[in-house]
Amino acid sequence: MTDVRKTHYRSCHLCEAICGIAIETEGDRIVSIKGDKQDPFSRGHICPKATALQDLHTDPDRLTKPIKRVGDDWHEISWDEAFELVADKITAIQEAHGENSIGFFAGNPSVHNYGTLTHGGELRRTVGTENHFSATSLDQLPHMLVGHLMYGHQYLVPVADIDHTNFLLIIGGNPLASNGSMMTVPDVKNRLKDIQNRGGKFVVIDPRRTETAMIADEHHFIRPGSDAFLLLAMIRTVFEDGLVDLGPMADHVAGLEEVREAVRPFTPELAAGQTGIDADVIRGLARTMAETDGAAAYGRMGVSTQAFGTLCQWAIQVLNIITGNMDVPGGIMVPTPAFGNVTPGARGAGYFATKHSRVSGLPIFSGEYPAVAMAEEIMTPGEGQIKGLVTIAANPALSAPNAQDLNEAFEGLDFMVSIDIYLNETTRHADVILPPTSALEHDHYDISFNRLAVRNITRYNAPVFDPPEGTKHDWEIMIGLASAIARRKGQDYKPLPAPHILLDQGLQYGPYGKAVGAEMGLTLEKLMEHPHGLDLGPLQPSMPERLSGPAKLDLELMLDDLKRLMDSRHRVAEGELLLIGRRHVRSNNSWMHNSTRLTKGPARWQLMMHPDDMAARGIENEARVRIASRVGAVETVVIASEDMMPGVVSLPHGWGHREKGVKLSVASEQAGVNCNILTDDKFFDTVSGNAALNGVPVSVEPAKPQAV
Ligand SMILES: Nc1nc2c(c(=O)[nH]1)N[C@H]1C(S)=C(S)[C@@H](COP(=O)(O)OP(=O)(O)OC[C@H]3O[C@@H](n4cnc5c(=O)[nH]c(N)nc54)[C@H](O)[C@@H]3O)O[C@H]1N2
Ligand SMILES: Nc1nc2c(c(=O)[nH]1)N[C@H]1C(S)=C(S)[C@@H](COP(=O)(O)OP(=O)(O)OC[C@H]3O[C@@H](n4cnc5c(=O)[nH]c(N)nc54)[C@H](O)[C@@H]3O)O[C@H]1N2
Ligand code: SF4
Ligand SMILES: [Mo]
C-alpha cells in the first residue's frame, strides 16, 4: 500500500515567491520535486531551494522529539513532561519577577507557517507579557508603519503591478537572488524581462551590481544609507517641474503642499553629493516616473533596514502617489486576498508608540518592540527585566545585530524554550526545545504572502505526509503550552479550533466568500477542488474604498525626520567602509545551510570588496581579512569584485555555524562567519527602531597570520 506513486501539488513555503510545486512521492519517500506547470501564478518556475525541501524533510539533524538540557547533554522527554516543565518555569519566573519578565521572539519561518500565525497570538496572550520581538523589526517594519500611518492599516501595503508596469524602479532589492520580497512575485526574472519585451524599462539602485542590476536597463550605484536624499530629490523634481498628478488619489490625499515645502532643501545636487548619483540622472528618473503610463517605485531590504528606513518607505509612497501611479494598473496597488483582506475599520490596523521599551525607550508597534532592544532588555537589571525567553522559528543569534551581546544575554537567562526544528546557534542556549512536524507533514496556506502578491491568487495544500506518531504541529505545541500555563494561572482556556477551520471561516467571509454572497462562493472545501490554486485575476484599483480618511502625505513624524537626514550629511570619514548584506538564491537566511545540495559548489559566504579598496589596504584577493565595527570583529576570506561600489563591502548574513553545541553536521563544515557580530544594536532607524543592517561603518585589514 505504501509504494503507491502520488503527485502532491503544493506551494513552496521557503520564500515569499510561494511557487507552485509538484512533489512526487512513493510511500513515505519523495521521488521528485518539480515546478507545477499548471500553477497559474508561478507557471512552473522554481529555484534550487525547492528540491532542498526533501533535504529538510529527511535531515537526520532535524529534531522530532522534545528535548531537555541536562548539563551539556540533551535528553528526550515526553510532550506532557515538556509542557509541564515549561509552564512551571514560565509561571515561576513571572511570579517572582512580574508578567513582563518573559520575552518572546518570533522568526521569519513563523510567517511561512499558517498554524503559527493563527495560534501564536493566543500563546502570547496566555503568557501575558508585553515583551515581544520578531524579525519584523529586522526587516519590513517601515513598510507596515508607513501603511498604518498613511493609509490607516499596517497591512495596506501596496505592491508594484509588475505584470503591467512600463517602468519599475527597484531600490535596494535583489529579486533575482531573493525571489522578491514585500512583493510576492514567482518567476520574477521572466516577469522583469516581460517589462522590457513590452517596451518598458526597469532600473536598479544598489551599492552592488547585483544579479538583478545585471539584467536591468540601468543600474546606479548608491552610497548605502543615502537613498532618502535620492527619493526626496525626485519628489522635489516632480513638484518643481509641475508634474504632480495624483490620478485616482486626487480627492483622497492630505498634506500635498506641506510636502512640497518640506522637500525644497533636498535638491538633486545635494542628493548627487550624498548618493554618488548624477543630479541629471535623478531628475531623469523623477520625470520618467511621472511621464510613463504605469510606473512603480519599489524599495526593499536595502532601504528598509538602514538608518532612514521609514523615511525611505514613506518617500516611495509619496513618489508613487504624486506621479499618479498609486492605485492604477502598472503602478502600485493593494492586493485583494481571499483571506485577510483589509477594508475600512478592519481589525488589526496596528498602533504605534503608545508605549516605549524599558531601557532605551524605543517605540512599540502593534504589540512588539524593536529587536535591537532585546539584548539590553535581557541584560539590564531592574523591574521588567526579561529573565525567561520563548523563541519561535527564530535564530536571532545569527540574524539580529550585535550577536555577541545577544549570545551573552541568552546565556544569562534563567530559562529559555525554543519551538524549533534544529539545535542551532540560538536554540543551543535553550533549556527545552520543542520541535514541530516537518512542513510537509502539515497543511499549508499563505496568509501573509497572498496579501502581497502581484496577482490575486489563493491556494490550499493538504499535508504531503501523515505526521509520524507522537509528533505535534507548531500550533498544537502552542495549544499544549498555553493550556498548561493557563492551568497554573488559574485561567479558563479554550483552545482555538485547528487552523483549517479558522481558514475556512476567513475564506467564507472574505471578498470571494460564500458567506458574503460573492459570486465565487469560496469555501475551503471549494478551494480544495483546485489543487493548483485559484487565479483571482490581476490586481485591481481599490484604494479609495479602503481608506477611512485621506492618505496622509505630510506625516509629522516624517517631516520631523528630515532634519535628522539633513544633519547626517557627509558623515562618512575618509577611507571608511560601509558594510551591506547579500542574498544568494541557494541560501535562505540562517537555516538552510544543512542541505548538501544547496551548500556544494563555490563558497558563498565571503566578503566582497572593490579591488581599489583592497589595493589601498594591501589586501590580496582571497586573503584572510579582519573586519571590525564598533561592536565586534570577525575574520574571513575576501574576494575582489568590480561589482562592488568603491567604499562598500558586502557580507551575507545567516552564516557562522561552527559554534559549540550546534547540531548541524553539514552547515558546521562551512567556514562562513556571522556578519551580525559586526552589525550594531545601537545603529537603527530612530523613527521605527528597525535595525540598520545595511550601511554599517567597518574597517577591513589583512588578518594577522594565525599562530600555529
Ligand atoms: N545582517 C543581516 N541580518 C539579517 C538580514 C540581513 O539582510 N542582513 N535579514 C533579516 C531578515 S529580513 C530576516 S527575515 C531575519 C531572519 O532571521 P530569523 O527570523 O531568525 O529566521 P531564520 O534565520 O530563517 O531562522 C529560522 C529558524 O526557524 C527554524 N524553523 C524553520 N522552519 C520552522 C518551522 O516550520 N517551525 C519552527 N518552529 N521553526 C522552524 C529554523 O530551524 C531556524 O532556527 O534575518 C534578519 N537578519
Ligand atoms: N535566496 C534567498 N531568498 C530570500 C532570502 C534569503 O536569505 N535567500 N531571504 C528572504 C527574506 S527574509 C527577505 S526579507 C527577502 C529580502 O529580499 P531583498 O530585499 O530583495 O533581498 P536582498 O538581497 O537583501 O536585497 C537588498 C539589496 O539592497 C542592497 N542595499 C544594501 N544597502 C543599500 C542601501 O543603502 N541602499 C540601496 N539602494 N540598496 C542597498 C543590497 O546590495 C541588496 O542587493 O528575501 C527573501 N528571500
Ligand atoms: S523561489 Fe524557490 S524557495 Fe522561493 S518559493 Fe519558489 S521554489 Fe521556493
Ligand atoms: Mo526577511
Side-chain angles (χ1 to χ4, degrees):
M1 196 190 104
T2 50
D3 51 9
V4 177
R5 275 211 179 197
K6 271 176 91 175
T7 303
H8 310 257
Y9 298 100
R10 199 174 168 90
S11 314
C12 171
H13 71 286
L14 294 173
C15 89
E16 297 175 47
I18 63 170
C19 301
I21 52 176
I23 305 179
E24 207 183 351
T25 60
E26 206 173 70
D28 58 7
R29 209 169 61 84
I30 296 172
V31 180
S32 70
I33 300 180
K34 296 193 176 116
D36 177 6
K37 291 205 175 65
Q38 296 174 76
D39 187 288
F41 190 37
S42 60
R43 319 178 289 208
H45 171 267
I46 50 166
C47 84
K49 289 186 294 301
T51 43
L53 283 170
Q54 175 172 0
D55 304 350
L56 290 170
H57 185 70
T58 57
D59 189 346
D61 287 334
R62 183 167 61 81
L63 306 173
T64 53
K65 297 193 175 79
I67 52 174
K68 165 176 107 168
R69 170 192 299 286
V70 181
D72 278 343
D73 294 331
W74 292 92
H75 290 189
E76 278 179 13
I77 53 174
S78 72
W79 284 106
D80 283 343
E81 190 185 343
F83 294 150
E84 297 307 317
L85 176 78
V86 173
D88 274 343
K89 292 285 185 186
I90 285 182
T91 49
I93 290 172
Q94 286 186 306
E95 266 165 36
H97 305 286
E99 299 289 279
N100 295 336
S101 57
I102 300 296
F104 271 82
F105 188 97
N108 172 278
S110 58
V111 187
H112 295 260
N113 178 334
Y114 88 117
T116 64
L117 292 179
T118 53
H119 285 65
E122 211 176 43
L123 171 61
R124 288 193 284 261
R125 272 190 295 280
T126 308
V127 173
T129 172
E130 286 179 0
N131 273 318
H132 300 292
F133 307 89
S134 86
T136 288
S137 53
L138 305 172
D139 190 345
Q140 83 288 357
L141 171 56
H143 299 245
M144 296 172 74
L145 178 56
V146 166
H148 166 71
L149 296 173
M150 279 183 89
Y151 307 129
H153 199 293
Q154 59 182 336
Y155 296 131
L156 284 180
V157 177
V159 302
D161 184 17
I162 191 170
D163 289 341
H164 304 99
T165 197
N166 293 308
F167 180 69
L168 181 63
L169 181 63
I170 302 178
I171 316 164
N174 184 14
L176 257 61
S178 69
N179 283 294
S181 179
M182 297 307 278
M183 168 166 80
T184 283
V185 56
D187 199 14
V188 64
K189 190 174 180 182
N190 282 319
R191 287 183 139 101
L192 285 170
K193 285 193 165 160
D194 283 346
I195 301 177
Q196 294 167 326
N197 293 340
R198 59 178 173 264
K201 289 204 318 184
F202 76 96
V203 173
V204 170
I205 310 284
D206 200 299
R208 182 167 79 89
R209 191 178 301 114
T210 60
E211 297 78 356
T212 310
M214 294 206 196
I215 63 159
D217 297 275
E218 278 174 40
H219 163 238
H220 302 283
F221 281 130
I222 188 162
R223 186 167 71 74
S226 68
D227 303 79
F229 286 102
L230 164 74
L231 290 160
L232 294 168
M234 287 177 70
I235 293 171
R236 184 183 188 276
T237 302
V238 175
F239 280 115
E240 285 289 299
D241 292 6
L243 294 172
V244 174
D245 162 18
L246 299 173
M249 296 298 284
D251 298 327
H252 307 283
V253 298
L256 185 68
E257 288 312 309
E258 287 76 3
V259 174
R260 181 199 298 269
E261 279 310 306
V263 301
R264 231 183 263 284
F266 293 89
T267 61
E269 282 67 27
L270 169 65
Q274 292 300 309
T275 60
I277 303 175
D278 206 73
D280 284 338
V281 170
I282 297 173
R283 287 195 181 87
L285 290 172
R287 289 173 189 147
T288 308
M289 277 294 300
E291 285 161 1
T292 307
D293 188 19
Y298 158 75
R300 203 40 293 260
M301 281 295 283
V303 282
S304 308
T305 53
Q306 55 141 289
F308 294 95
T310 311
L311 197 58
C312 285
Q313 292 302 337
W314 166 77
I316 287 171
Q317 295 303 314
V318 171
L319 181 63
N320 281 309
I321 291 174
I322 64 171
T323 54
N325 289 306
M326 171 63 163
D327 212 34
V328 296
I332 60 167
M333 286 183 278
V334 178
T336 312
F339 182 96
N341 189 40
V342 177
T343 46
R347 281 196 307 169
Y351 52 92
F352 178 61
T354 48
K355 284 184 181 157
H356 292 83
S357 68
R358 179 180 66 107
V359 180
S360 285
L362 301 187
I364 199 166
F365 178 70
S366 302
E368 60 178 82
Y369 290 108
V372 292
M374 185 162 63
E376 64 186 20
E377 290 297 333
I378 298 174
M379 297 211 275
T380 312
E383 185 152 346
Q385 180 185 6
I386 297 175
K387 299 270 190 181
L389 184 68
V390 184
T391 69
I392 302 170
N395 194 3
L398 290 193
S399 47
N402 197 346
Q404 51 308 5
D405 262 20
L406 214 44
N407 271 300
E408 206 183 306
F410 293 158
E411 266 315 288
L413 287 165
D414 290 352
F415 180 73
M416 176 166 161
V417 54
S418 296
I419 305 181
D420 206 288
I421 53 176
Y422 283 122
L423 179 44
N424 64 18
E425 301 73 19
T426 295
T427 61
R428 72 192 168 113
H429 296 291
D431 298 285
V432 176
I433 306 180
L434 305 173
T437 48
S438 146
L440 302 182
E441 290 159 358
H442 58 76
D443 62 344
H444 180 71
Y445 186 86
D446 276 300
I447 293 182
S448 299
F449 303 111
N450 286 330
R451 256 185 185 141
L452 295 165
V454 301
R455 194 172 171 90
N456 293 312
I457 55 128
T458 179
R459 298 190 196 108
Y460 171 81
N461 309 117
V464 176
F465 299 113
D466 290 336
E469 178 93 25
T471 57
K472 288 192 189 292
H473 305 309
D474 278 276
W475 61 272
E476 292 175 318
I477 297 173
M478 288 165 172
I479 288 179
L481 285 178
S483 59
I485 292 166
R487 210 173 323 116
R488 274 168 190 68
K489 292 188 175 211
Q491 294 172 3
D492 282 340
Y493 176 76
K494 192 167 160 285
L496 277 176
H500 71 272
I501 295 173
L502 302 171
L503 174 65
D504 185 36
Q505 285 167 4
L507 292 173
Q508 295 213 31
Y509 283 92
Y512 314 89
K514 185 176 173 192
V516 301
E519 198 185 315
M520 188 173 283
L522 198 61
T523 61
L524 180 57
E525 201 183 338
K526 177 146 189 196
L527 184 53
M528 286 171 78
E529 291 165 13
H530 300 270
H532 309 284
L534 266 176
D535 183 26
L536 305 171
L539 301 182
Q540 298 294 338
S542 65
M543 210 48 183
E545 303 92 87
R546 294 182 191 244
L547 296 170
S548 313
K552 290 193 212 65
L553 302 188
D554 59 333
L555 296 174
E556 207 181 310
L557 211 57
M558 294 291 88
L559 301 191
D560 288 351
D561 206 34
L562 296 178
K563 182 176 180 317
R564 182 173 66 104
L565 180 68
M566 205 43 117
D567 292 346
S568 78
R569 277 170 305 167
H570 299 301
R571 271 228 316 253
V572 181
E574 187 67 22
E576 198 167 58
L577 293 169
L578 297 179
L579 176 72
I580 62 168
R582 184 167 87 235
R583 281 176 161 80
H584 191 281
V585 76
R586 303 183 74 90
S587 168
N588 191 30
N589 295 327
S590 77
W591 67 287
M592 290 193 60
H593 299 145
N594 215 40
S595 157
T596 307
R597 197 189 310 250
L598 290 180
T599 44
K600 68 181 180 205
R604 300 179 186 98
W605 40 257
Q606 301 99 327
L607 183 76
M608 281 186 183
M609 190 170 188
H610 192 276
D612 293 351
D613 288 329
M614 291 169 64
R617 290 165 180 78
I619 298 170
E620 302 282 325
N621 192 25
E622 296 187 26
R624 282 191 72 77
V625 288
R626 180 177 190 275
I627 318 166
S629 72
R630 186 189 75 86
V631 294
V634 295
E635 282 192 16
T636 192
V637 174
V638 64
I639 44 171
S641 172
E642 301 263 358
D643 294 330
M644 291 306 303
M645 180 177 186
V648 183
V649 290
S650 164
L651 192 64
H653 74 286
W655 296 94
H657 304 293
R658 291 185 167 173
E659 299 289 346
K660 187 169 159 268
V662 166
K663 187 170 163 256
L664 294 166
S665 44
V666 176
S668 302
E669 299 279 299
Q670 297 276 324
V673 291
N674 180 358
C675 83
N676 284 317
I677 289 178
L678 299 167
T679 56
D680 189 337
D681 55 342
K682 296 287 177 250
F683 182 52
F684 52 83
D685 169 25
T686 51
V687 174
S688 62
N690 204 47
L693 303 167
N694 289 297
V696 180
V698 291
S699 63
V700 179
E701 57 183 49
K704 300 227 163 55
Q706 277 167 335
V708 185

